[in-house]
Amino acid sequence: QVQLVESGGGLVQAGGSLTLSCAASGSIFAINTMAWYRQAPGKQRELVARITSGSMTKYGDSVKGRFTVSRDSAKTTVYLQMNSLRPEDTAVYLCNLNWRTARGPYDYWGQGTQVTVSS
């Protein structure tokens, strides 16, 4: 069983910074991708950033240049450093861990952490 535990959300003023963490535990395939998504009320879930076990990264267009995704050396924790936050960054941020094997895809989600940016 795989578990993802997020932390670091909260309330911040526009222009401020926050760092989110997501720790994964359980039976995790070594070659995988960890990602952050976000969902605001009334909007579709969108990719914020993702990072592979080989440290390749991809960012959503709205956060490029402001957010940085990284992983620890054990590859079980993913971080999201968020700078220059804007009110439109307000959302529930969800951690995702996924991989694919010959048996099929595996996809796990955390419960989410609220980020609120005040203007």
Side-chain angles (χ1 to χ4, degrees):
Q1 189 76 345
V2 173
Q3 285 191 322
L4 300 175
V5 179
E6 299 125 329
S7 61
L11 173 64
V12 64
Q13 287 189 329
S17 298
L18 278 176
T19 300
L20 305 183
S21 301
C22 172
S25 61
S27 299
I28 301 168
F29 192 66
I31 302 172
N32 60 66
T33 297
M34 295 190 80
W36 288 98
Y37 287 76
R38 66 187 182 187
Q39 187 157 22
K43 294 188 177 181
Q44 286 191 327
R45 186 173 296 184
E46 65 171 344
L47 173 70
V48 177
R50 68 178 185 227
I51 182 167
T52 69
S53 47
S55 299
M56 292 182 64
T57 60
K58 178 181 174 65
Y59 294 90
D61 289 341
S62 63
V63 306
K64 285 179 181 176
R66 299 188 298 125
F67 291 10
T68 302
V69 64
S70 61
R71 296 178 74 155
D72 68 340
S73 57
K75 308 292 186 182
T76 58
T77 300
V78 63
Y79 304 96
L80 184 68
Q81 174 67 44
M82 305 185 292
N83 297 326
S84 302
L85 282 161
R86 304 166 181 169
E88 53 263 39
D89 294 318
T90 295
V92 174
Y93 284 69
L94 300 118
C95 179
N96 174 264
L97 168 63
N98 66 84
W99 66 83
R100 180 178 292 273
T101 70
R103 294 184 178 181
Y106 293 80
D107 198 37
Y108 300 93
W109 292 89
Q111 291 189 329
T113 186
Q114 177 71 44
V115 171
T116 302
V117 184
S118 63
S119 57

